Amino acid sequence: MKNKTVKQAVILGASGYTGAECVRLIMGHPHIDIAALTGHSRAGQAYGDVYPNFAHMDLPKLCTADEVDWDMIDVAFACLPHGASQDMIAKIHERVETVIDLSADFRLQDANIYEATYGRSHDYAELLSQRVYGLTEFARETLKGAKLIACPGCYPTASLLALLPAVTNGLLANAPIIIDAKSGVTGTGRKTAQALHYSEVTDGAQAYAIGHHRHTPEIEQELTAHSAYDVAVSFTPHLIPMNRGMIATCYVELAKDISLEDLRGAYIARYENEPFIHVERQGIVPQTRHVKASNHCRIGVFADRIAGRAIIVSVIDNLTKGSSGQALQNYNVSQGWDETLGLMGSPIFP
Amino acid sequence: MKNKTVKQAVILGASGYTGAECVRLIMGHPHIDIAALTGHSRAGQAYGDVYPNFAHMDLPKLCTADEVDWDMIDVAFACLPHGASQDMIAKIHERVETVIDLSADFRLQDANIYEATYGRSHDYAELLSQRVYGLTEFARETLKGAKLIACPGCYPTASLLALLPAVTNGLLANAPIIIDAKSGVTGTGRKTAQALHYSEVTDGAQAYAIGHHRHTPEIEQELTAHSAYDVAVSFTPHLIPMNRGMIATCYVELAKDISLEDLRGAYIARYENEPFIHVERQGIVPQTRHVKASNHCRIGVFADRIAGRAIIVSVIDNLTKGSSGQALQNYNVSQGWDETLGLMGSPIFP
Amino acid sequence: MKNKTVKQAVILGASGYTGAECVRLIMGHPHIDIAALTGHSRAGQAYGDVYPNFAHMDLPKLCTADEVDWDMIDVAFACLPHGASQDMIAKIHERVETVIDLSADFRLQDANIYEATYGRSHDYAELLSQRVYGLTEFARETLKGAKLIACPGCYPTASLLALLPAVTNGLLANAPIIIDAKSGVTGTGRKTAQALHYSEVTDGAQAYAIGHHRHTPEIEQELTAHSAYDVAVSFTPHLIPMNRGMIATCYVELAKDISLEDLRGAYIARYENEPFIHVERQGIVPQTRHVKASNHCRIGVFADRIAGRAIIVSVIDNLTKGSSGQALQNYNVSQGWDETLGLMGSPIFP
Amino acid sequence: MKNKTVKQAVILGASGYTGAECVRLIMGHPHIDIAALTGHSRAGQAYGDVYPNFAHMDLPKLCTADEVDWDMIDVAFACLPHGASQDMIAKIHERVETVIDLSADFRLQDANIYEATYGRSHDYAELLSQRVYGLTEFARETLKGAKLIACPGCYPTASLLALLPAVTNGLLANAPIIIDAKSGVTGTGRKTAQALHYSEVTDGAQAYAIGHHRHTPEIEQELTAHSAYDVAVSFTPHLIPMNRGMIATCYVELAKDISLEDLRGAYIARYENEPFIHVERQGIVPQTRHVKASNHCRIGVFADRIAGRAIIVSVIDNLTKGSSGQALQNYNVSQGWDETLGLMGSPIFP
């Protein structure tokens, strides 16, 4: 029998960074207990051996998914690689009330685009048709009671929060939107690779996946869904030497007769009651360090030198609002709880 | 009339890093409200302009100490420079229930040593005689109901937590103790100086204040107080390119017939019920990154290659357990509250 | 009498980072001696006290410009702030053979644009009319024997090297060019400011000067000079936590019927014999860490997802090719020497 | 037939960081050409693919040792892992004039200590008996014409340069010497490991190998060789978040009646004519950032607070003076060349 006042959670793939961020946040949540942590390659190990920052806490050992007592579980936070995630969710979704998927597997509505983007088929069309895309601030109605929630990618989260108020209000011209994004290194996950060696990353920077990053179709899907026309996006990410943090610098052409004041006004109006989204005062440029380890997003709206153009900049913590924080926020909404539960920790600065 | 269920706090010197860390922690405390924030040079500014990570929060503006409505204040957290702190505390201590001093002004019992160390006189002998030295884990009895609490320096906190179980149990020979410490850059405060320019600090390291760092007499005072003889300490700090974190690597000679097992056993016994102090399993070396932004301290006890010697290593976050976290912990104890209130946030990793 | 086989150099403003980089490079140049180093606020100090990395070298003390024996000087490298530079150059240009200005003062041809951009008048129209703009690879003919060379800004250097092969060959549509740039912290100079404190810079990133950075008119000036029409540039710089390094990510629309292969071909053809400019093989993204402390520039040319658009990425070391290295390269060309003298040190990695 | 005016070098293990640093330095050496680069696992690849910072240079492809035309080779710089190095050197030492070993294999004179320390046997006793230990400043006589040179480890280099002037002059008491060392991350090599992932290293620090680091017997061997008694060393290294740089902070007890002035005087006298070793003026603390990417070592000598004790601090770049720079310096001496050839590049700061 499931516990009715405190929900029992499993974190699938708890040995990765998004899994560990789920653990950190859920430990501060009043209505969720961590009942199980899975980590295939490290099953059997104490979680504090994998993440010594949690060594003092009373947490379950890592186990395999087969070892989980599914009858005890209310909610699964899936922090698995894409592909593995859909297979696992197909297996377990009927045994739990809610699945929160942090992978890419249920973000794209169209299985063909998924296949073209991620290089494997999507095998669970029915599940896909039921999932809710959980960019929380733009999905609250559909999130209520949702059973399968696809959390947006980190880059789409930063980009969409920066662009949707303009798009939903028809303030942009039908012209390509250019998004130049910068991410901290935790966005690559905890995998071991020479390119992620400290000495190969620190004190340098680079673009990557130019012209073909997998988050681009997701950004286009959502912008187009909120627009009267198909939106074309040019998206280029950069890796920069910091742990957490993400900037989306968005270059847009305004619709005819739309002023910068119109644009800023739309952002202020849209976000003024949002607990986590903050529009900077005029002239203030948002910085990633001011949202670190928090679920907050800060947005600045600026005039371009070129008439009729604007620049919109958003910053988030890629692991929190860009992943595990938004996942928890989505679960809060799905349960009808206060959306900010477990998420009110201040950003850590410096 | 003072609020009896929620204490009203002023943070004096809230524009510095320890002040900001007090704000962060107190915002998560159930029984304390922030009633005022002082910052002499930035009085009148919104706190979010000084610390944009708090811009979304409802906090008082910075003001001068004269502008504080002292009748409303229960507790003052003094995050002022040494010297300024004693003068301010002398003025306000009778108007509040409790003063928690994070400066160096009340750490040294002997006003002459204070003067020799800090280059100015100590002018409040009576206050000094009443203060409690707040290394929490070794001061709980005296902290209860204390009116003026001197919080230890960051280096003394890391060093004393690493050494006191050995000293209080008489496990060390009467020989110089060598402490080689390493600190992150927030330990220097937020002051502006060419030597603290990013490009002068990153990707390099150095010792500083060799042979004359001001925290050394404080470490000796406390070790000697818990010892049968005067303890001699050689203390050398290093500045390393990270924001938060501190290591104290302590080189000691064991007393006759004391084994490494005796030593480790004493640490395990002393700290096994402590909520914030953790002795690593054999062979595990503590890392600063696993206590970041938390009140935790991790300690490792190791045999030296040289017979009869040991190496004890502790790590803390210099801003939290080394300063504002311990300050709040002390206040919790002084009030008879659960000592961990407001301090249970997990370390942030990565 | 001036030395004819080895040129005697003064570095004006040697206490800043570009001055120090001039010292480093000139120390390895076979035909230049450092005769004097000026630094107004630190005059009288040993250079090794200001830059301990040079403490073992035999270098002149810092002095004021008045103390320089101008009869001995052949060439002045002016590393002064804008404004101060034009005043100083006006005073000394007739006393030396060559002036290499690393400031912004002689970059803009139009004194009115200078005034609008830098907030003070340009007072030396005649000098301005004679200066050569020293983007070396595109200025060799005019650099020969030049007396006053204006070295491009760091952002214009990275941007122009990335864009000129396309522009000079008419491969771009007449549409706004969007340049999203990222710079290491040395680009801000050695000035002391809270915003440049290590703890305010590390582990975070932000855009700055959005819509109004001073290097934008310079980029437009040069692109327009090589184009059949006025080029419009949207330029947004970002500060990222590394010491040296700069990326210019340039988003362009191709002219009708121009393919990506045409574009890449133009870059390869233009740069194949350049000693310092390197076009990456297809699919390779240039990284700042691979040009660190060198005069090299690496460029990648990529198709955008959006048909008819391309993305061109260049990386340089802002202090070397972006400033002092190019200055020395320009002097080499002006003297008819091998252009690579003093500049063949390999990039430092890691 | 071997080239007599320019020596032909092979770098064995050129895919690691010490190999790459050899390449960088030798490219600036007037009398050495790089004839071959070996890298077992990456044989066949262009060197610029493995180290893109060298992509613009004309260098041989990586090959296996078997593919090297040994008849063409004068000198081998062996940058192989320990164990592999001795086997390779045994095979090729008769085919080349000189072998410079940068591994640990020939550092320890006593094969039994080698075996106890490195966990495998030393199989080439005759070679071991002929090798010269190349701490250059203390080995010039034996280095002349040497055929097999064992370059010291990075920690021994920093430690011995800090301690030998005291030891050789009998200025220390016969008491344990405590060395607390800090190293940048390149000291761990380019190997791939989760513990070396950027996000696991940055913004944190830790000790490691406490009580059993493999460089300790080497330090003891050399100190004892220059002393009248067996020297006991307690050596503890720390990993700190920077690329290059190493500090050895040495805590010593002075011999009876030896003053701090005596001690400083001995260092000044010993090193005043050394091109790469510099004793700081009184009160100046050496910093790693001021020797970066150079062969220099800076040393400070300080009084301890405890009477009769002193603290000696040295800084080097672990990849240069701590490895490849000293290797080249040793080869210069062995050939009778100017010792500074190829090594006069200034430290890179910032």
Side-chain angles (χ1 to χ4, degrees):
Chain A
M1 199 192 68
K2 309 226 175 186
N3 183 324
K4 294 306 172 200
T5 55
V6 173
K7 298 290 182 179
Q8 300 298 314
V10 63
I11 297 165
L12 303 168
S15 58
Y17 288 149
T18 55
E21 185 74 349
C22 281
V23 171
R24 179 175 80 84
L25 295 170
I26 292 175
M27 291 298 284
H29 195 289
H31 304 332
I32 315 177
D33 274 356
I34 295 178
L37 299 169
T38 78
H40 187 74
S41 68
R42 308 194 70 164
Q45 292 188 30
Y47 198 59
D49 290 351
V50 177
Y51 283 102
N53 52 316
F54 296 125
H56 60 287
M57 290 180 173
D58 185 24
L59 283 166
K61 280 196 179 191
L62 284 169
C63 66
T64 65
D66 289 344
E67 293 168 330
V68 173
D69 178 359
W70 289 97
D71 293 336
M72 293 296 298
I73 303 297
D74 299 295
V75 56
F77 289 85
C79 303
L80 299 165
H82 63 84
S85 194
Q86 55 171 284
D87 292 337
M88 177 65 71
I89 288 170
K91 273 192 216 160
I92 58 104
H93 75 103
E94 294 190 331
R95 309 193 60 180
V96 300
E97 285 175 9
T98 315
V99 174
I100 314 282
D101 187 20
L102 289 82
S103 88
D105 277 355
F106 292 90
R107 293 174 188 160
L108 294 170
Q109 285 174 304
D110 182 328
N112 294 322
I113 295 180
Y114 176 86
E115 185 166 349
T117 305
Y118 290 97
R120 68 153 271 179
S121 58
H122 201 299
D123 301 335
Y124 311 96
E126 196 182 309
L127 275 176
L128 187 55
S129 69
Q130 298 163 14
R131 74 56 161 142
V132 172
Y133 184 81
L135 184 73
T136 325
E137 286 74 13
F138 292 84
R140 288 191 181 102
E141 288 312 307
T142 50
L143 283 168
K144 281 180 191 156
K147 307 283 288 172
L148 172 54
I149 299 168
C151 297
C154 48
Y155 287 122
T157 297
S159 302
L160 295 170
L161 292 172
L163 291 166
L164 279 177
V167 167
T168 57
N169 287 287
L171 306 183
L172 302 188
N174 183 352
I177 293 173
I178 291 166
I179 305 171
D180 186 294
K182 300 90 186 167
S183 175
V185 184
T186 54
T188 64
R190 205 184 196 187
K191 64 176 173 287
T192 296
Q194 188 181 79
L196 298 178
H197 187 295
Y198 174 85
S199 296
E200 310 276 323
V201 172
T202 194
D203 210 33
Q206 85 257 28
Y208 67 98
I210 301 176
H212 59 82
H213 192 277
R214 287 164 162 176
H215 285 177
T216 321
E218 182 185 346
I219 298 170
E220 282 190 348
Q221 164 186 287
E222 295 302 310
L223 292 178
T224 295
H226 289 85
S227 185
Y229 49 85
D230 285 357
V231 178
V233 167
S234 169
F235 171 75
T236 305
H238 296 72
L239 185 70
I240 69 177
M242 60 186 188
N243 255 339
R244 291 161 174 260
M246 175 167 286
I247 305 179
T249 311
C250 305
Y251 300 92
V252 299
E253 185 178 331
L254 297 175
K256 194 160 178 297
D257 297 331
I258 297 299
S259 70
L260 203 273
E261 289 65 39
D262 298 334
L263 189 70
R264 287 200 85 240
Y267 281 77
I268 291 167
R270 176 62 187 81
Y271 289 138
E272 65 183 342
N273 294 316
E274 288 293 344
F276 296 120
I277 320 295
H278 314 287
V279 180
E280 301 283 4
R281 282 182 299 125
Q282 196 159 357
I284 302 295
V285 180
Q287 307 188 16
T288 64
R289 53 184 72 77
H290 297 141
V291 297
K292 191 155 49 182
S294 85
N295 202 48
H296 294 282
C297 172
R298 305 192 73 84
I299 296 178
V301 180
F302 302 88
D304 199 341
R305 279 174 83 247
I306 300 176
R309 296 190 62 89
I311 302 167
I312 308 158
V313 181
S314 67
V315 299
I316 60 170
D317 182 318
N318 54 296
L319 283 184
T320 320
K321 183 61 177 168
S323 185
S324 307
Q326 183 160 250
L328 186 54
Q329 188 184 0
N330 283 335
Y331 187 54
N332 284 338
V333 175
S334 78
Q335 298 297 306
W337 297 334
D338 175 348
E339 184 173 328
T340 66
L341 281 179
L343 295 168
M344 288 305 279
S346 294
I348 305 292
F349 173 82
Chain B
M1 196 193 67
K2 310 228 174 185
N3 183 323
K4 294 305 171 200
T5 55
V6 173
K7 298 290 182 179
Q8 300 298 314
V10 63
I11 296 165
L12 303 169
S15 58
Y17 289 148
T18 54
E21 185 75 348
C22 281
V23 171
R24 180 175 80 84
L25 295 170
I26 292 175
M27 291 299 284
H29 195 289
H31 304 333
I32 315 177
D33 274 355
I34 295 179
L37 299 168
T38 79
H40 189 74
S41 68
R42 308 193 71 164
Q45 292 187 30
Y47 198 60
D49 290 350
V50 178
Y51 282 102
N53 53 316
F54 296 124
H56 60 287
M57 290 180 173
D58 185 25
L59 283 167
K61 280 196 177 190
L62 283 169
C63 65
T64 65
D66 289 343
E67 293 167 330
V68 173
D69 178 0
W70 290 97
D71 293 337
M72 292 296 297
I73 303 298
D74 299 295
V75 55
F77 289 85
C79 304
L80 299 166
H82 64 83
S85 195
Q86 55 171 285
D87 291 338
M88 177 66 71
I89 288 170
K91 273 192 216 160
I92 58 105
H93 75 101
E94 294 191 330
R95 308 194 61 181
V96 300
E97 284 176 11
T98 316
V99 174
I100 314 284
D101 186 20
L102 289 82
S103 87
D105 278 355
F106 292 90
R107 293 173 187 160
L108 294 170
Q109 284 173 306
D110 183 327
N112 294 322
I113 295 179
Y114 176 85
E115 186 166 347
T117 304
Y118 289 97
R120 68 153 272 179
S121 58
H122 201 297
D123 301 335
Y124 311 97
E126 196 181 308
L127 275 176
L128 187 55
S129 69
Q130 299 163 15
R131 74 58 161 136
V132 172
Y133 183 81
L135 184 73
T136 324
E137 286 75 12
F138 292 85
R140 288 191 182 102
E141 289 312 308
T142 50
L143 283 169
K144 281 179 191 156
K147 307 282 289 171
L148 172 54
I149 300 169
C151 296
C154 48
Y155 287 122
T157 298
S159 301
L160 294 170
L161 291 173
L163 291 166
L164 279 176
V167 167
T168 56
N169 287 288
L171 306 183
L172 302 188
N174 184 352
I177 293 174
I178 291 165
I179 305 171
D180 185 295
K182 299 91 185 165
S183 175
V185 184
T186 54
T188 64
R190 206 185 195 187
K191 66 175 173 287
T192 296
Q194 188 180 79
L196 298 177
H197 188 295
Y198 175 85
S199 296
E200 310 276 323
V201 172
T202 194
D203 210 33
Q206 84 257 30
Y208 68 98
I210 301 176
H212 59 82
H213 192 278
R214 287 164 162 176
H215 284 177
T216 321
E218 182 185 344
I219 298 170
E220 282 191 346
Q221 164 185 288
E222 295 302 310
L223 292 179
T224 296
H226 289 85
S227 185
Y229 49 86
D230 285 357
V231 177
V233 167
S234 169
F235 171 75
T236 304
H238 296 71
L239 185 70
I240 70 178
M242 60 187 187
N243 255 338
R244 292 161 173 259
M246 175 168 286
I247 306 178
T249 312
C250 305
Y251 300 91
V252 298
E253 184 178 333
L254 297 174
K256 195 160 178 295
D257 297 332
I258 298 299
S259 70
L260 203 272
E261 288 66 37
D262 297 333
L263 190 70
R264 288 199 85 240
Y267 280 77
I268 291 168
R270 176 62 187 81
Y271 289 137
E272 66 183 341
N273 294 317
E274 288 293 344
F276 296 120
I277 320 294
H278 314 286
V279 180
E280 302 283 5
R281 281 182 300 125
Q282 197 159 357
I284 301 296
V285 180
Q287 306 188 16
T288 64
R289 53 184 71 77
H290 297 140
V291 297
K292 190 156 48 183
S294 85
N295 202 49
H296 294 282
C297 173
R298 305 193 73 85
I299 296 178
V301 180
F302 302 88
D304 198 342
R305 280 173 83 248
I306 299 176
R309 296 190 62 89
I311 301 167
I312 308 160
V313 181
S314 68
V315 299
I316 60 171
D317 182 318
N318 54 296
L319 282 184
T320 319
K321 182 61 176 168
S323 186
S324 307
Q326 183 159 250
L328 186 54
Q329 187 183 2
N330 283 335
Y331 187 54
N332 284 338
V333 175
S334 78
Q335 297 297 306
W337 297 335
D338 175 348
E339 183 173 328
T340 66
L341 282 178
L343 296 169
M344 288 305 280
S346 294
I348 305 293
F349 173 83
Chain C
M1 197 192 69
K2 310 228 174 185
N3 182 326
K4 294 307 173 199
T5 55
V6 173
K7 297 292 182 180
Q8 300 297 315
V10 62
I11 296 165
L12 303 169
S15 58
Y17 289 148
T18 54
E21 185 76 348
C22 281
V23 170
R24 180 176 79 85
L25 295 170
I26 292 175
M27 291 299 284
H29 195 290
H31 304 331
I32 315 177
D33 275 356
I34 294 177
L37 299 169
T38 78
H40 188 73
S41 67
R42 307 194 70 165
Q45 292 187 29
Y47 198 59
D49 290 350
V50 178
Y51 282 103
N53 53 315
F54 296 125
H56 61 286
M57 290 181 172
D58 186 26
L59 283 166
K61 280 195 178 191
L62 283 169
C63 66
T64 65
D66 289 344
E67 293 168 329
V68 173
D69 178 359
W70 290 98
D71 293 338
M72 293 296 298
I73 303 298
D74 299 296
V75 56
F77 289 85
C79 304
L80 298 166
H82 64 84
S85 194
Q86 56 171 286
D87 291 338
M88 177 65 72
I89 288 170
K91 273 192 215 161
I92 59 101
H93 75 102
E94 293 191 331
R95 308 194 61 181
V96 299
E97 285 176 11
T98 315
V99 174
I100 315 283
D101 186 21
L102 288 82
S103 87
D105 277 356
F106 292 90
R107 293 173 187 161
L108 294 170
Q109 284 173 304
D110 183 327
N112 294 322
I113 295 179
Y114 176 86
E115 186 167 346
T117 305
Y118 290 97
R120 67 153 273 178
S121 59
H122 201 298
D123 301 334
Y124 310 96
E126 196 181 310
L127 275 176
L128 187 54
S129 69
Q130 298 162 15
R131 73 57 161 141
V132 172
Y133 183 81
L135 184 73
T136 325
E137 285 74 13
F138 292 85
R140 287 190 181 102
E141 288 313 307
T142 51
L143 282 169
K144 280 179 192 157
K147 307 282 289 171
L148 172 55
I149 299 169
C151 296
C154 48
Y155 287 122
T157 298
S159 303
L160 295 170
L161 292 172
L163 291 166
L164 280 176
V167 167
T168 57
N169 287 287
L171 306 183
L172 302 187
N174 183 353
I177 293 173
I178 291 165
I179 305 171
D180 185 294
K182 299 92 185 165
S183 174
V185 185
T186 54
T188 65
R190 206 186 196 186
K191 65 176 172 287
T192 296
Q194 187 182 80
L196 298 177
H197 187 295
Y198 175 85
S199 297
E200 310 277 323
V201 172
T202 194
D203 209 32
Q206 84 257 30
Y208 67 99
I210 301 176
H212 58 83
H213 192 278
R214 287 164 163 176
H215 285 176
T216 321
E218 182 184 345
I219 298 171
E220 282 190 348
Q221 164 186 289
E222 294 302 311
L223 292 179
T224 296
H226 289 86
S227 186
Y229 49 85
D230 285 357
V231 178
V233 168
S234 169
F235 170 76
T236 304
H238 297 71
L239 185 69
I240 69 177
M242 61 186 187
N243 255 338
R244 291 161 174 260
M246 175 168 285
I247 305 179
T249 311
C250 305
Y251 300 92
V252 298
E253 184 178 332
L254 297 175
K256 195 160 177 295
D257 297 331
I258 298 299
S259 70
L260 202 273
E261 290 64 41
D262 297 334
L263 190 70
R264 288 200 85 240
Y267 281 76
I268 292 167
R270 176 61 187 81
Y271 289 139
E272 67 183 341
N273 294 316
E274 288 295 343
F276 296 119
I277 321 294
H278 314 287
V279 180
E280 302 284 4
R281 282 181 299 126
Q282 196 159 358
I284 302 295
V285 181
Q287 307 188 16
T288 64
R289 53 184 71 77
H290 298 140
V291 297
K292 190 156 49 183
S294 85
N295 202 48
H296 294 282
C297 172
R298 306 193 72 85
I299 296 177
V301 180
F302 301 88
D304 199 341
R305 277 174 84 248
I306 299 175
R309 298 191 60 90
I311 301 167
I312 308 159
V313 181
S314 68
V315 299
I316 61 171
D317 182 319
N318 54 295
L319 283 184
T320 319
K321 183 60 176 169
S323 186
S324 307
Q326 184 160 249
L328 185 56
Q329 187 184 1
N330 282 335
Y331 187 54
N332 283 338
V333 174
S334 78
Q335 297 297 306
W337 297 335
D338 175 348
E339 184 173 327
T340 66
L341 281 178
L343 296 168
M344 288 305 280
S346 294
I348 305 293
F349 173 82
Chain D
M1 195 193 69
K2 309 229 177 185
N3 183 325
K4 294 306 171 201
T5 55
V6 173
K7 298 291 182 179
Q8 300 298 314
V10 62
I11 296 165
L12 303 169
S15 58
Y17 289 149
T18 55
E21 185 75 348
C22 282
V23 170
R24 180 176 78 86
L25 295 170
I26 292 174
M27 291 299 284
H29 195 289
H31 304 331
I32 315 177
D33 275 356
I34 295 178
L37 298 168
T38 78
H40 188 73
S41 67
R42 307 194 70 166
Q45 292 187 28
Y47 198 58
D49 290 351
V50 178
Y51 283 103
N53 53 316
F54 296 125
H56 61 285
M57 291 182 172
D58 186 25
L59 283 166
K61 279 195 179 191
L62 284 169
C63 65
T64 64
D66 289 343
E67 292 167 331
V68 174
D69 178 0
W70 290 98
D71 293 337
M72 292 297 297
I73 303 298
D74 299 295
V75 56
F77 289 85
C79 304
L80 299 166
H82 64 83
S85 194
Q86 57 172 285
D87 291 338
M88 177 65 71
I89 288 170
K91 274 192 215 160
I92 59 102
H93 75 101
E94 293 191 331
R95 307 194 62 180
V96 300
E97 284 176 10
T98 315
V99 174
I100 314 284
D101 186 21
L102 288 82
S103 87
D105 277 355
F106 292 90
R107 293 174 188 161
L108 294 170
Q109 285 173 305
D110 182 326
N112 294 321
I113 295 180
Y114 176 86
E115 187 167 345
T117 305
Y118 290 97
R120 68 153 272 179
S121 59
H122 202 298
D123 301 334
Y124 311 96
E126 196 182 310
L127 275 176
L128 187 54
S129 69
Q130 298 163 15
R131 72 68 159 128
V132 172
Y133 183 81
L135 184 73
T136 325
E137 286 74 13
F138 292 85
R140 287 190 181 103
E141 288 312 307
T142 50
L143 283 168
K144 280 179 192 156
K147 308 282 289 171
L148 172 55
I149 299 169
C151 296
C154 49
Y155 286 122
T157 297
S159 302
L160 295 169
L161 291 172
L163 290 166
L164 279 176
V167 167
T168 57
N169 286 289
L171 306 183
L172 302 187
N174 183 351
I177 293 173
I178 292 165
I179 305 171
D180 186 295
K182 298 91 186 166
S183 175
V185 184
T186 54
T188 64
R190 206 186 196 187
K191 65 175 172 287
T192 295
Q194 187 182 80
L196 298 177
H197 188 295
Y198 175 84
S199 296
E200 310 276 323
V201 172
T202 194
D203 210 33
Q206 84 258 30
Y208 67 99
I210 301 176
H212 59 83
H213 192 279
R214 287 164 162 176
H215 285 176
T216 321
E218 182 184 345
I219 298 171
E220 281 191 348
Q221 164 186 287
E222 295 302 311
L223 292 179
T224 295
H226 288 87
S227 186
Y229 49 85
D230 285 358
V231 178
V233 167
S234 168
F235 171 76
T236 304
H238 296 72
L239 185 70
I240 69 177
M242 60 186 188
N243 255 339
R244 292 161 174 260
M246 176 168 284
I247 305 180
T249 311
C250 305
Y251 300 91
V252 298
E253 184 178 332
L254 297 175
K256 195 159 176 296
D257 297 332
I258 298 299
S259 71
L260 202 272
E261 290 64 40
D262 297 334
L263 189 70
R264 287 199 87 239
Y267 281 76
I268 292 167
R270 177 62 187 81
Y271 289 139
E272 68 183 340
N273 294 317
E274 288 293 344
F276 296 120
I277 320 294
H278 314 287
V279 180
E280 301 285 2
R281 283 182 299 125
Q282 196 159 357
I284 302 295
V285 181
Q287 307 188 16
T288 65
R289 53 185 70 78
H290 297 141
V291 298
K292 190 155 50 182
S294 85
N295 202 48
H296 294 281
C297 172
R298 306 193 72 85
I299 295 177
V301 180
F302 301 88
D304 199 340
R305 279 174 83 249
I306 300 175
R309 297 190 61 90
I311 302 167
I312 308 159
V313 181
S314 67
V315 299
I316 60 171
D317 182 319
N318 55 295
L319 282 184
T320 319
K321 183 59 176 170
S323 185
S324 307
Q326 184 160 250
L328 185 56
Q329 187 184 2
N330 283 334
Y331 187 54
N332 283 337
V333 175
S334 79
Q335 297 298 305
W337 297 335
D338 175 348
E339 183 173 328
T340 67
L341 281 178
L343 295 169
M344 288 305 278
S346 294
I348 305 293
F349 173 83

